[in-house]
Amino acid sequence: MIYPKTLPAAHKRLLIKVIDTFSQDSRIVGIGAAGSFSSNSMDKFSDLDLIIAIEQHSFDTVMEERFKLIDKVDGKIAAFTGEHVGEPRLIIALYQPDLVHVDFKFVSLPDATKRVDDVKVLWERDRQLTNVFRQTNHEYPQPDIQWIEDRFWIWVHYCATKIARGEFFEATEFLSFLRTTVLSPLALQQHGLTPSGVRTIERRLPEFATLLRETIATPDREALIPALQKCISLYLELRNKEQVLVNTSAEEQVLAYFKQELIS
């Protein structure tokens, strides 16, 4: 395995421990690395995103023993499962002495075909992981402008009601949802970039990130109203670049509601 040039020394030391430990378990048939490892864009703050491929008939057993496997890697200080991100197969762990964050995603070997990154094979038995990867291409989920349009004006109405009612923290959180789910993914997609929410948007789309700053608000009415207005204007600019069936009635009525309840 040729490691990426950007791999920090601390991460490499831990990665070698993981490979040495997991490769001793005959039920594990391959280990891959995704994320910034696969794109050669790591720094000392990066996570290690690891795919642990398991023999299909042993998957349930390994899932029950995942923490025992992770505990065998020297230095673990904390770990928990990934239900909060909708991925129960995931274990998120932290290792000393350098406090390296590791995401261990345990998958049955046939399920390794489903991946969002160009996963790099770190170790495998009999090229099993490589052969599985050859069956499909990686594909990052793309935002669907029609799916967004069918929901956007209801989302705007929801946020407007929270501001009008005085639920300012709720409205503040919802603006974050719009940035992460709608605005940033669409902007990144339109520039041919991976639409991964707001991650590293400061570096990837600095001009758009400057505009996005105007959607950030403190939890008070005077700040939230213009921030929501900016979300709307940015969305309309992004939407105009796409082919989409516009919900004109919803748009007009929600904008009228916004003006009546928050502007007048």
Side-chain angles (χ1 to χ4, degrees):
M1 171 65 200
I2 299 175
Y3 293 108
K5 293 180 180 180
T6 59
L7 180 67
H11 293 61
K12 184 176 181 179
R13 287 193 294 269
L14 178 57
L15 189 55
I16 290 171
K17 288 187 199 177
V18 171
I19 295 171
D20 287 346
T21 300
F22 279 46
S23 61
Q24 295 177 35
D25 192 313
S26 61
R27 301 167 299 178
I28 296 174
V29 296
I31 301 172
S36 56
F37 182 102
S38 64
S39 62
N40 192 19
S41 57
M42 299 189 75
D43 58 34
K44 67 177 182 179
F45 306 110
S46 296
D47 305 338
L48 282 173
D49 298 302
L50 303 182
I51 308 299
I52 312 300
I54 311 299
E55 286 184 340
Q56 189 170 14
H57 68 273
S58 300
F59 180 70
D60 290 340
T61 303
V62 172
M63 284 290 284
E64 294 176 0
E65 300 175 3
R66 290 177 297 167
F67 282 97
K68 292 180 181 179
L69 285 167
I70 288 172
D71 286 344
K72 291 180 179 179
V73 180
D74 183 52
K76 192 214 81 177
I77 57 175
F80 59 89
T81 52
E83 287 84 358
H84 68 292
V85 291
E87 184 47 89
R89 297 174 298 176
L90 181 69
I91 288 184
I92 300 165
L94 193 63
Y95 284 85
Q96 61 181 357
D98 302 293
L99 294 188
V100 176
H101 173 132
V102 185
D103 289 345
F104 295 93
K105 184 177 179 181
F106 292 80
V107 300
S108 175
L109 181 61
D111 291 337
T113 58
K114 304 170 186 176
R115 60 201 190 281
V116 300
D117 290 321
D118 182 18
V119 180
K120 304 300 183 184
V121 177
L122 302 176
W123 170 88
E124 60 185 332
R125 298 186 196 280
D126 303 321
R127 298 185 61 81
Q128 292 185 65
L129 193 54
T130 296
N131 291 335
V132 165
F133 285 163
R134 285 176 175 169
Q135 298 175 23
T136 59
N137 294 321
H138 64 280
E139 184 176 0
Y140 199 94
Q142 298 292 317
D144 181 338
I145 184 63
Q146 191 62 60
W147 183 90
I148 292 170
E149 171 66 17
D150 293 342
R151 292 159 176 76
F152 185 77
W153 300 108
I154 295 177
W155 287 339
V156 170
H157 175 262
Y158 174 85
C159 191
T161 63
K162 298 306 173 186
I163 298 172
R165 185 184 285 166
E167 296 181 24
F168 299 143
F169 281 99
E170 177 73 11
T172 302
E173 292 299 310
F174 201 77
L175 292 179
S176 176
F177 168 81
L178 291 179
R179 284 191 295 273
T180 302
T181 307
V182 178
L183 303 176
S184 294
L186 284 177
L188 289 164
Q189 181 189 53
Q190 290 177 4
H191 284 81
L193 301 172
T194 302
S196 50
V198 294
R199 292 195 65 179
T200 67
I201 195 154
E202 301 90 342
R203 295 198 298 272
R204 293 190 289 168
L205 285 182
E207 292 183 5
F208 185 78
T210 298
L211 298 174
L212 210 58
R213 288 177 179 271
E214 298 178 46
T215 71
I216 298 174
T218 53
D220 57 77
R221 182 185 178 96
E222 291 72 21
L224 285 163
I225 292 173
L228 181 55
Q229 285 179 305
K230 188 63 177 181
C231 285
I232 295 169
S233 66
L234 286 176
Y235 171 68
L236 292 175
E237 291 175 17
L238 292 164
R239 188 188 69 181
N240 288 341
K241 299 176 183 178
E242 303 281 352
Q243 292 185 343
V244 58
L245 180 61
V246 174
N247 192 333
T248 304
S249 176
E251 178 179 339
E252 291 176 348
Q253 293 189 53
V254 169
L255 290 177
Y257 177 91
F258 182 96
K259 182 177 180 180
Q260 175 183 328
E261 296 296 331
L262 299 179
I263 305 298
S264 302

